[in-house]
Amino acid sequence: MPSTTLIDLNTIASITLFLTTIVVAHSANQHQQFYPTVVHLVSSKISRIVLICDLILAIIYFGKLLKNIFFGTLRMYEEEVIWEKGYFTLIETCLALTIFREELTSRMLTVLGICLFMKIFHWISELRVKHIESLPNTSLSTFIRLYICLIVLIGVDCYFIYNFILHYLKEGATVRVLFLSDFVVMGITSLSVIIRLTFHAINLSKQDEEGTGGWEGRDVSIFYLDISSEILQSFTYLSFFLIIMSKYGLPFHLIRNIYIAVNNVKKRVMDLINYRRIAINLDRRFPDATQQDLDEYDGVCVVCREDMRINTTQNPIKKLPCGHMFHAKCLRGCLERAQECPTCRRPIDVLLSEQEHREHHSSNNNTPTTTPTANNTTNISPTITLPQSFNLSTSVNIDNNLLLQQQQIQQLLLSSSTTIPNLINNNNFTELQKVMSDMYIRYLESMRDNITITLEQLKQLNENNND
């Protein structure tokens, strides 16, 4: 947590400890004996509030101790994600308690606190495993601490799942169904995280001393693991949604989780389809880098950190439309997880569409302009030569409204409005070409006359000013 939060927490702890001392001293002074003093502390409302605050602070400091043992110092990103998820979880829990408000007891509130406590460590474990996957090396102590933490989390999840399932089979849907759904989802998450950590360990074990190489199938394995986890979580949310709705009504607290889970499954499936579509034609869509491209590049693949000096047939170097280059195996592994460039993060579909547009545009520019004739042949459009007397002075800025009068434009359009459609209907393209050329020449001649008149007016105006 941030330093300001630590100061606030320590301040609150000091105030709570001071109030606890006053309450205990007052109760002991009033009753003089141990048992009456304990009874008074438990029965008095003020004493109970102070003792509950002490219990909450003890749980917080115990969680910080476990956090330091298993994870050490949290990164700023991890803290932000935990606070964000904790905020939404607290809101969803308050909505869920409105459904089961008649069944709430002190025991269920204790289970609720344990559930929230466990969720925080599940979030930290998932974020930490994803973080160490991006690191080139991971110490053995980090693996041991993460494995111990995940095994403990899975054991606690299984314990509560087993007890809540037995209770559901005996008494049906009660408030324990709420906690059963949470612990099932947490069990799926912790199981997928420990499998993901195992994949990372296998990948590191297959790397050489320089940190190159590794397990080629890790990315695709993680991809399918994520899909399986999202599907199981979606199925869990939907199942408990139907169970709670059948007895208590619409569970609003599960709507957001169902939407996120289903949306994630949809996204994963679309990523799988896009990856299959891109990977099938990987060699055809992305050309091999030339030796000149490799000489101009920095010579290092950003994925595997290996040199890219020479293009080999076993692992060719591919060049993306954005200009970045990677080994074919590295690129395939990155596309299995996300269909975007590993360097600039631009979507592959966008890059391919831009490349096709450039190729289409260049092919159109290289194709000569042709017009069809009556004999279904093509002739190059004729070149129109301007009269020699047409001379445009570039030293004078002339308004476009003076260059072409509106009446002359109307005359040109009226003269051709009946001729051109008839020629098109009769497929007389030769005459159409002549009419269009004649219109263009007349248009240029009118422009010449207007420019000449304008230049004479400007010259006369200049002479009058000199006089």
Side-chain angles (χ1 to χ4, degrees):
M1 295 182 182
S3 58
T4 55
T5 305
L6 288 176
I7 294 174
D8 294 340
L9 182 62
N10 293 331
T11 303
I12 293 173
S14 301
I15 295 173
T16 305
L17 182 61
F18 176 73
L19 294 176
T20 304
T21 304
I22 293 176
V23 169
V24 172
H26 174 72
S27 179
N29 184 37
Q30 185 176 1
H31 296 280
Q32 300 295 328
Q33 295 181 0
F34 178 76
Y35 183 75
T37 302
V38 174
V39 172
H40 178 266
L41 290 174
V42 175
S43 58
S44 175
K45 294 182 178 180
I46 297 177
S47 301
R48 289 167 64 180
I49 292 174
V50 174
L51 292 177
I52 289 174
C53 292
D54 291 334
L55 179 62
I56 293 174
L57 286 173
I59 293 173
I60 292 175
Y61 278 106
F62 178 69
K64 290 175 63 65
L65 176 63
L66 294 179
K67 185 264 298 181
N68 293 329
I69 294 174
F70 293 113
F71 305 104
T73 304
L74 297 181
R75 297 179 297 126
M76 184 179 297
Y77 172 74
E78 294 173 341
E79 294 180 357
E80 293 176 356
V81 172
I82 292 170
W83 280 108
E84 182 180 359
K85 289 187 176 182
Y87 171 76
F88 286 108
T89 302
L90 186 61
I91 295 177
E92 292 169 357
T93 303
C94 293
L95 291 175
L97 293 179
T98 59
I99 301 175
F100 304 98
R101 57 186 178 275
E102 297 179 356
E103 302 179 18
L104 289 179
T105 60
S106 59
R107 185 176 182 182
M108 289 299 99
L109 292 177
T110 303
V111 176
L112 175 62
I114 296 173
C115 182
L116 296 176
F117 187 82
M118 294 289 294
K119 283 184 177 181
I120 294 175
F121 279 89
H122 280 82
W123 298 335
I124 299 175
S125 301
E126 185 177 6
L127 293 172
R128 184 55 57 90
V129 171
K130 290 182 179 179
H131 171 64
I132 66 173
E133 285 179 346
S134 61
L135 300 178
N137 294 314
T138 305
S139 62
L140 180 61
S141 60
T142 301
F143 275 105
I144 294 175
R145 288 184 297 171
L146 287 175
Y147 270 115
I148 294 175
C149 179
L150 290 170
I151 291 172
V152 172
L153 292 177
I154 292 175
V156 175
D157 294 336
C158 293
Y159 172 78
F160 281 100
I161 291 172
Y162 175 75
N163 286 277
F164 289 149
I165 288 177
L166 292 179
H167 183 271
Y168 174 74
L169 295 176
K170 292 179 180 179
E171 301 183 12
T174 60
V175 67
R176 288 175 172 81
V177 175
L178 170 66
F179 304 116
L180 177 60
S181 62
D182 290 335
F183 279 104
V184 169
V185 172
M186 286 191 289
I188 295 172
T189 302
S190 57
L191 185 61
S192 63
V193 170
I194 197 171
I195 294 175
R196 189 165 184 157
L197 182 62
T198 305
F199 288 163
H200 180 59
I202 295 173
N203 179 66
L204 292 180
S205 64
K206 293 186 177 182
Q207 291 182 355
D208 53 18
E209 296 179 355
E210 297 179 356
T212 59
W215 180 24
E216 297 180 0
R218 185 195 67 166
D219 293 329
V220 67
S221 300
I222 292 176
F223 186 78
Y224 287 114
L225 176 65
D226 292 338
I227 291 179
S228 303
S229 177
E230 296 292 346
I231 292 175
L232 290 175
Q233 290 184 26
S234 302
F235 178 76
T236 302
Y237 283 127
L238 289 173
S239 300
F240 285 98
F241 181 86
L242 296 176
I243 292 173
I244 295 174
M245 188 173 63
S246 63
K247 183 176 180 180
Y248 296 96
L250 184 64
F252 291 99
H253 68 285
L254 291 178
I255 294 178
R256 174 179 173 271
N257 293 328
I258 292 174
Y259 173 78
I260 293 175
V262 173
N263 194 32
N264 289 337
V265 172
K266 180 182 176 181
K267 182 179 180 300
R268 297 288 183 183
V269 173
M270 293 302 298
D271 290 342
L272 178 60
I273 295 173
N274 294 331
Y275 163 70
R276 291 296 184 185
R277 178 172 52 83
I278 296 174
I280 290 174
N281 300 321
L282 183 64
D283 295 332
R284 182 179 61 84
R285 290 178 179 269
F286 306 121
D288 294 343
T290 61
Q291 190 61 40
Q292 182 180 359
D293 295 333
L294 296 176
D295 294 338
E296 295 175 356
Y297 207 64
D298 59 0
V300 177
C301 177
V302 299
V303 180
C304 64
R305 300 298 179 182
E306 292 184 357
D307 293 335
M308 293 192 301
R309 305 291 183 183
I310 301 175
N311 207 340
T312 60
T313 57
Q314 292 81 7
N315 192 14
I317 300 172
K318 295 295 181 180
K319 183 178 180 180
L320 297 184
C322 57
H324 300 117
M325 291 179 285
F326 313 93
H327 291 109
K329 295 181 180 179
C330 298
L331 179 61
R332 188 181 298 274
C334 292
L335 293 179
E336 289 169 353
R337 304 180 65 178
Q339 288 70 49
E340 59 186 13
C341 174
T343 301
C344 63
R345 300 299 180 185
R346 298 187 62 190
I348 296 297
D349 292 337
V350 176
L351 296 176
L352 291 175
S353 62
E354 292 178 354
Q355 182 181 14
E356 293 176 357
H357 178 73
R358 288 194 298 266
E359 293 176 353
H360 180 71
H361 183 70
S362 61
S363 62
N364 290 338
N365 291 336
N366 295 330
T367 304
T369 305
T370 58
T371 56
T373 62
N375 298 327
N376 293 329
T377 59
T378 56
N379 295 324
I380 300 178
S381 300
T383 303
I384 301 174
T385 58
L386 298 177
Q388 295 180 357
S389 61
F390 180 70
N391 185 12
L392 178 62
S393 175
T394 59
S395 61
V396 181
N397 295 325
I398 303 173
D399 192 359
N400 292 330
N401 294 327
L402 296 176
L403 297 180
L404 187 60
Q405 299 295 331
Q406 184 177 6
Q407 295 179 355
Q408 293 176 340
I409 297 175
Q410 292 177 353
Q411 292 176 0
L412 289 174
L413 294 175
L414 290 174
S415 62
S416 60
S417 60
T418 58
T419 305
I420 294 177
N422 294 331
L423 294 176
I424 294 175
N425 294 330
N426 297 329
N427 294 328
N428 196 345
F429 295 104
T430 305
E431 291 295 329
L432 178 62
Q433 183 179 0
K434 291 181 181 180
V435 172
M436 296 296 292
S437 301
D438 182 65
M439 287 179 57
Y440 189 52
I441 293 173
R442 290 168 61 188
Y443 171 72
L444 294 177
E445 288 177 351
S446 65
M447 289 180 62
R448 180 197 62 188
D449 296 337
N450 287 314
I451 292 173
T452 303
I453 295 172
T454 304
L455 289 176
E456 290 178 356
Q457 292 176 354
L458 292 175
K459 184 177 180 181
Q460 184 179 0
L461 181 62
N462 190 21
E463 291 176 354
N464 294 332
N465 292 330
N466 291 332
D467 295 338

